[in-house]
Every structure is written in C-alpha cells, then in structure tokens.
C-alpha cells in the first residue's frame, strides 16, 4: 500500500480462516440496525458443504441461538455477499426474539427489504431437487429449491418442458428419486429428517 492511500478497513478485509470469519461476523453484526440481543448468539462454522450458506438454530425454551456459517459458501461468495447472508440470519434472530418464532413470511420479507438482505437462505444454496427428463434423447434437466408441485406431483400434472415426456425428481441430498406423486409420498417418508 503506497504512502497516503486511504483505505476503509472496516469490513473490506477478507477473512482467511474460519475463526477470522467468525470474528468479522461478530463485529459486523454489531453494526446492523436491529433491536436484538447479540449476547445470546453462539457463532460456529460448518466446514461441510451444507445446503445453506448459513443457518440459525433455536432451542425451544432456551434463549441461546446458534448461527452456523458455512465456510465453503463464504469462500464461494466472498465477504461482500456474505454480509447479506449474515443480515438474513440476524433478521431470523430479531423475529425469533421479538415474536417467538421465525419464518420467511411477510414480516421477514419486509425487514429483509429494509436491510437489503436476501429473502431466502437458499438463494445462495445448491438446489435441493433435480428434475430429469426420462427421455434419453432429450437431456432436459432443471433444478428446484423448494418442494413445489413440480416436485411433489410429477407425471400427474407436469411433464418435461422440452419434449413433454415424464420426468424423474431426484432429492439431491439423498439421491432418492420418484416419478409420481405416490412415489413421492413414500420417498418423503424415507427421507425423513434429511428432507
Ligand atoms: Zn432464512
Ligand atoms: Zn424431455
């Protein structure tokens, strides 16, 4: 850095290790304009490639909150984008501490827009489902983050967008597949908590 250059050091440095990421996340969280109790938050790092860039864990009957940051997601998105993810998680904390529960509902959306935070954690996440055309010559494939009707009701209502053939749905986490709604119901049971 040359003499006399002015650098805004506040949040422009790039954490190089998981513990630096935690430190920076803690400092950053203090600057967010939300009436929340930060002292009950325990920050952790997930080193696995989970489906979420970060997540909040609440324990019923306890004020303690765990925010888990996914190291791989940070590496993929960089600090700039990751700040948005931290804001997203802190809105969950705010909603939980203020109203006793949290979701991605209208209250969340309103705050997220106010704080310019992403509306869903999964905006940053790998898809949860693949939709794969059964016609070998077609190669149509798409992804879904949510269990929409295209995921839960294949065949009966929906077909491949390219060739009109039925498609197979695959649950990315478990590689369990289904082709119809009734197969989905069984698969959903089998997948259980890994859903
Ligand atoms: Zn969320
Ligand atoms: Zn097709």
């Amino acid at each position: 850095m040359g003499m006399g250059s002015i650098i805004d050091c506040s949040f422009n440095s790039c954490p190089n290790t998981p513990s630096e990421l935690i430190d920076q996340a803690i400092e950053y969280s203090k600057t967010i304009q939300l009436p929340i109790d930060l002292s009950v938050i325990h920050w952790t790092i997930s080193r696995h490639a989970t489906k979420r860039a970060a997540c909040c864990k609440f324990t019923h009957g306890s004020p303690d909150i765990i925010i888990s940051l996914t190291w791989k997601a940070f590496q993929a998105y960089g600090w700039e984008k990751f700040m948005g993810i931290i804001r997203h998680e802190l809105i969950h904390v705010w909603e939980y501490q203020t109203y006793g529960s949290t979701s991605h509902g209208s209250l969340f959306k309103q705050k997220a827009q106010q704080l310019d935070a992403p509306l869903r954690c999964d905006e940053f996440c790998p898809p949860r489902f693949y939709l794969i055309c059964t016609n070998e010559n077609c190669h149509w494939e798409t992804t879904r983050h949510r269990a929409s009707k295209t995921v839960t009701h294949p065949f009966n209502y929906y077909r491949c967008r390219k060739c009109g053939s039925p498609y197979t749905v695959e649950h990315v986490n478990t590689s369990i597949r289904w082709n119809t709604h009734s197969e989905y119901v069984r698969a959903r049971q089998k997948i259980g908590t890994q859903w």
Side-chain angles (χ1 to χ4, degrees):
M1 218 43 78
M3 284 268 287
S5 54
I6 298 165
I7 328 152
D8 176 14
C9 294
S10 46
F11 294 112
N12 286 338
S13 62
C14 192
N16 288 310
T17 63
S19 69
E20 279 178 30
L21 178 59
I22 288 186
D23 290 345
Q24 196 149 308
I26 291 170
E27 286 312 306
Y28 179 61
S29 66
K30 292 175 188 165
T31 71
I32 306 302
Q33 298 296 309
L34 278 171
I36 51 180
D37 179 5
L38 294 168
S39 71
V40 297
I41 300 174
H42 305 271
W43 299 82
T44 64
I45 294 281
S46 166
R47 287 157 195 275
H48 306 288
T50 63
K51 299 291 159 196
R52 288 156 179 254
C55 77
C56 279
K57 288 172 199 152
F58 306 97
T59 314
H60 200 71
S62 160
D64 291 355
I65 296 165
I66 297 168
I67 296 182
S68 170
L69 308 173
T70 305
W71 179 244
K72 285 210 162 68
F74 165 70
Q75 288 178 310
Y77 308 129
W79 175 246
E80 188 71 27
K81 213 166 172 181
F82 210 73
M83 284 192 287
I85 295 166
I86 293 169
R87 292 197 295 278
H88 178 106
E89 299 308 322
L90 292 174
I91 294 168
H92 281 308
V93 171
W94 164 75
E95 211 179 31
Y96 181 78
Q97 288 184 344
T98 312
Y99 302 98
S101 68
T102 180
S103 66
H104 295 114
S106 57
L107 192 64
F108 185 97
K109 267 188 195 144
Q110 209 182 323
K111 260 301 182 230
Q113 267 150 13
Q114 219 174 308
L115 294 180
D116 190 28
L119 291 181
R120 299 193 62 91
C121 326
D122 59 19
E123 277 177 30
F124 296 93
C125 295
R128 289 174 61 211
F129 307 100
Y130 295 128
L131 275 47
I132 307 153
C133 182
T134 55
N135 173 357
E136 279 174 25
N137 302 316
C138 172
H139 306 297
W140 179 81
E141 210 181 297
T142 188
T143 60
R144 287 287 180 275
H145 284 106
R146 271 164 270 175
S148 60
K149 267 197 151 185
T150 52
V151 167
T152 61
H153 292 71
F155 189 78
N156 317 62
Y157 296 116
Y158 303 96
R159 299 292 170 107
C160 165
R161 289 229 190 97
K162 205 167 139 199
C163 77
S165 299
Y167 58 80
T168 298
V169 181
E170 181 176 319
H171 181 250
V172 177
N173 249 356
T174 59
S175 301
I176 291 174
R177 291 179 164 208
W178 57 90
N179 296 295
T180 63
H181 178 66
S182 50
E183 282 180 27
Y184 153 76
V185 173
R186 281 195 294 273
R188 178 67 189 84
Q189 244 166 3
K190 205 166 155 194
I191 294 165
T193 53
Q194 290 195 74
W195 182 245

